[in-house]
Amino acid sequence: MKSLGIDLGGTKIAAAAVEEGKILDYHRVDTPRTGIEDVLDSMAAAAKAVLALHPDIRAIGVGSPGPIDFTRGMVVFAPNIPGMENAPLVSGLERRLELPVVLENDANAAGLAEHLYGAAREVKSSIYITISTGIGGGMVVGERVLHGKHGLSGEVGHMTLQPGGPLCGCGYHGCWESLASGRAIAREASFSYRRHVPTVEAFKRAQAGEWKALKVIDNAAYYSGLALANLLKAFDPDLFVIGGGLSQVGSFYFDKVQAAADSFCQGFGRVEIKFAELGVDAGVIGAASVAAGEA
Amino acid sequence: MKSLGIDLGGTKIAAAAVEEGKILDYHRVDTPRTGIEDVLDSMAAAAKAVLALHPDIRAIGVGSPGPIDFTRGMVVFAPNIPGMENAPLVSGLERRLELPVVLENDANAAGLAEHLYGAAREVKSSIYITISTGIGGGMVVGERVLHGKHGLSGEVGHMTLQPGGPLCGCGYHGCWESLASGRAIAREASFSYRRHVPTVEAFKRAQAGEWKALKVIDNAAYYSGLALANLLKAFDPDLFVIGGGLSQVGSFYFDKVQAAADSFCQGFGRVEIKFAELGVDAGVIGAASVAAGEA
């Protein structure tokens, strides 16, 4: 079924007409920093640009950052977009577009897209992990994204892996995100070099063999491996799919993550890890898939 | 549907005729320490004692400790029962009883029983945790027990919560089981008092206000709360059901676990915990439910 997917990001809003995982038409606008009404207007404008080419589309799916209140169709909060506290995305877009709108968490949407059409298309259950500035996730069993009682399912970035560890954006210490996200790597590298070292530079220095950077990278890989091993022991999915900015670093980093995960799973089972295949398109494809009722 | 459940334990084998979660007849024998053939003979004898009263039963379910190879119908290993390495329970019992046999992990079976007929009967998804000498678990969504790719789903006792922590029976350090099981509490209490202190005594001393024992108990509750919080963030089940020997300690201990869990989940969601309701019967009821195809 053809449907419209909208991916709300911190800097860009993408809308696309999607049919069975293929993007037919695509439109992108900047994300306003001026409040929820402007965000809704821009999302509607991007959607209308695509709907004009596909007047037969009857269902819209939206992927948004932040925890979602699925019952009320609201984004609870999204720290990177001003004005997104208890944001009524479903009612705001339905009023503007006069079509039914379904809301999903962005990592869940991307995980669903990878599960249906990407790296996990041949397995029954997968956990999608996005490692960028932060760490998020989505769990898919069969063709369904798990939401959980509070809509928290997949908030794996905030599992505590080192009690009393580094402070996380969520207010707790020692979350996976505080130990192994892009932001965490930049923080630790900057501390080690006593000046600002961005994530990309930390990886370059590690690949060049600098021990200070290697220690930071190895530590992050250790905790990512530990997190995947814990998820294997609790849930045992067929496959872990890794997306997000850090997946671009490729095997130099993820061979370390795989080795760390395996080191925690001797006698249990092998941690199967694949890189995401749909790239930035996973967001709109997943959002459209939710709308198409494929979720 | 009426079916037969067999619960294989480290000291006792129980067989019961069960219909919609109710035990109709029950037979119990000791678990032989003399190898797999004797274990199979005793299981068959217990089963036959019940089947003689219920010749209409056509399906048998078995709950066994240890990781299960679901494809081959074997117990991979069960440390507390001699001779249980790659034990062919399904074929061994089908030959002796001439009825179809379905094998399930004992914690999964108990979790299913609690989900269908016990503490979690009114919710859609639950995670059952058994805290005794060790820590095991079972995850139920809808009316199905999750198995996972390697049959590991629910092996939550071996999630690493304190890297480099105490050595666990599984060979790794800092597993939940190594930090908060009955055995872990006895180990830490014995260390603190410089003599052997069994788990029950440690709880008694803590309830009497002895600070050495309280510190041990509080530490175990902290890690159990942490584990439940991590599971909430990853899967967000409707309910956690706590069974096993330690659940007998009641609210003195589990109020601490609840407080610890909640302290990790401010801004996420409340960790709902209930005690198991079916007691030792959960094993046979769950095993019978698996056989009845209710799983």
Side-chain angles (χ1 to χ4, degrees):
Chain A
M1 185 183 129
K2 198 198 281 187
S3 60
L4 185 83
I6 306 177
D7 184 29
L8 172 60
T11 55
K12 297 283 178 188
I13 292 163
V18 178
E19 190 161 21
E20 295 190 3
K22 301 280 178 228
I23 292 179
L24 307 174
D25 279 289
Y26 191 92
H27 193 81
R28 213 162 75 156
V29 298
D30 288 340
T31 305
R33 315 291 297 169
T34 44
I36 175 66
E37 289 303 317
D38 290 345
V39 170
L40 286 166
D41 287 344
S42 292
M43 292 175 82
K48 281 176 181 167
V50 177
L51 288 170
L53 305 170
H54 300 273
D56 53 326
I57 285 180
R58 286 283 157 269
I60 299 175
V62 175
S64 167
I68 307 292
D69 182 332
F70 290 101
T71 314
R72 296 191 297 156
M74 293 169 94
V75 176
V76 182
F77 62 90
N80 296 321
I81 306 174
M84 289 288 284
E85 288 78 41
N86 292 314
L89 254 59
V90 167
S91 61
L93 287 173
E94 286 187 340
R95 197 168 56 241
R96 284 166 174 83
L97 297 169
E98 297 182 336
L99 283 173
V101 171
V102 184
L103 181 60
E104 183 52 277
N105 170 277
D106 55 359
N108 285 352
L112 179 64
E114 291 290 343
H115 190 87
L116 294 173
Y117 306 110
R121 66 186 172 275
E122 286 174 4
V123 302
K124 277 189 291 185
S125 64
S126 66
I127 300 184
Y128 174 79
I129 312 281
T130 171
I131 310 183
S132 297
T133 313
I135 296 180
M139 314 192 54
V140 191
V141 178
E143 301 197 342
R144 297 189 71 83
V145 174
L146 301 187
H147 287 156
K149 182 178 189 186
H150 311 84
L152 287 177
S153 180
E155 285 291 337
V156 293
H158 298 291
M159 297 189 300
T160 304
L161 302 184
Q162 190 196 59
L167 182 64
C168 184
C170 74
Y172 286 104
H173 289 261
C175 302
W176 182 8
E177 178 167 307
S178 78
L179 292 157
S181 64
R183 190 187 283 132
I185 288 168
R187 183 198 67 226
E188 292 299 310
S190 300
F191 182 81
S192 228
Y193 284 94
R194 294 167 174 262
R195 62 172 182 75
H196 178 61
V197 177
T199 312
V200 173
E201 185 185 330
F203 276 105
K204 277 192 187 146
R205 290 184 177 275
Q207 281 192 278
E210 291 186 26
W211 70 267
K212 282 185 181 180
L214 262 174
K215 202 175 157 197
V216 169
I217 298 303
D218 285 354
N219 188 61
Y222 171 86
Y223 281 104
S224 285
L226 172 57
L228 296 182
N230 280 0
L231 289 170
L232 184 86
K233 290 167 188 174
F235 194 73
D236 196 8
D238 292 330
L239 186 66
F240 292 96
V241 178
I242 309 280
L246 249 67
S247 66
Q248 304 302 317
V249 182
S251 62
F252 165 72
Y253 182 62
F254 285 93
D255 285 355
K256 294 174 188 284
V257 174
Q258 176 83 58
D262 288 341
S263 79
F264 282 107
C265 289
Q266 303 285 326
F268 286 93
R270 186 177 156 80
V271 181
E272 299 284 345
I273 303 174
K274 275 192 185 180
F275 290 116
E277 292 179 1
L278 303 174
V280 292
D281 291 341
V284 282
I285 294 173
S289 302
V290 172
E294 291 166 349
Chain B
M1 185 182 130
K2 198 197 285 186
S3 60
L4 185 84
I6 306 177
D7 184 28
L8 172 61
T11 54
K12 297 281 178 189
I13 292 164
V18 177
E19 190 161 21
E20 296 189 4
K22 301 280 177 229
I23 291 179
L24 307 176
D25 279 289
Y26 190 92
H27 193 81
R28 212 162 76 155
V29 298
D30 287 341
T31 304
R33 315 293 297 169
T34 44
I36 175 67
E37 289 303 316
D38 291 344
V39 170
L40 285 166
D41 286 345
S42 293
M43 292 175 81
K48 280 176 181 167
V50 177
L51 288 171
L53 304 171
H54 299 274
D56 54 326
I57 285 180
R58 286 282 157 270
I60 299 173
V62 176
S64 166
I68 307 291
D69 182 332
F70 291 101
T71 315
R72 296 192 298 156
M74 292 168 95
V75 176
V76 181
F77 61 90
N80 297 323
I81 306 174
M84 289 288 284
E85 289 79 40
N86 292 313
L89 255 59
V90 168
S91 62
L93 287 173
E94 286 186 340
R95 197 168 56 242
R96 284 166 174 82
L97 297 169
E98 297 182 336
L99 283 173
V101 171
V102 184
L103 180 61
E104 182 53 275
N105 170 276
D106 54 359
N108 285 351
L112 178 64
E114 291 291 342
H115 190 86
L116 294 174
Y117 306 110
R121 65 186 174 275
E122 285 174 4
V123 302
K124 278 189 292 186
S125 64
S126 66
I127 301 183
Y128 173 79
I129 311 282
T130 170
I131 310 184
S132 298
T133 315
I135 296 180
M139 313 190 53
V140 190
V141 178
E143 301 197 340
R144 298 188 69 82
V145 174
L146 301 186
H147 287 156
K149 182 177 187 185
H150 312 86
L152 287 178
S153 180
E155 285 290 338
V156 293
H158 299 291
M159 297 189 300
T160 305
L161 302 184
Q162 190 197 60
L167 183 63
C168 184
C170 74
Y172 286 104
H173 290 261
C175 302
W176 183 8
E177 177 167 308
S178 78
L179 293 158
S181 64
R183 190 187 283 133
I185 287 169
R187 183 198 65 225
E188 292 299 310
S190 300
F191 183 81
S192 227
Y193 284 93
R194 294 167 174 263
R195 61 171 183 77
H196 178 61
V197 177
T199 313
V200 173
E201 184 185 331
F203 275 104
K204 278 192 187 145
R205 291 184 176 275
Q207 280 192 276
E210 292 187 25
W211 70 268
K212 280 184 181 180
L214 262 174
K215 202 175 157 197
V216 169
I217 298 302
D218 285 354
N219 187 63
Y222 171 87
Y223 281 105
S224 284
L226 173 56
L228 296 182
N230 280 359
L231 289 171
L232 184 86
K233 290 167 187 175
F235 315 112
D236 196 9
D238 292 329
L239 186 66
F240 291 96
V241 178
I242 309 280
L246 250 66
S247 66
Q248 304 303 317
V249 183
S251 63
F252 166 72
Y253 183 61
F254 285 93
D255 285 355
K256 294 173 187 284
V257 173
Q258 176 83 58
D262 287 342
S263 80
F264 282 108
C265 289
Q266 304 285 326
F268 287 94
R270 186 176 156 82
V271 180
E272 298 286 346
I273 303 174
K274 276 194 184 176
F275 290 117
E277 293 179 2
L278 303 175
V280 292
D281 291 341
V284 282
I285 294 173
S289 302
V290 173
E294 290 164 349

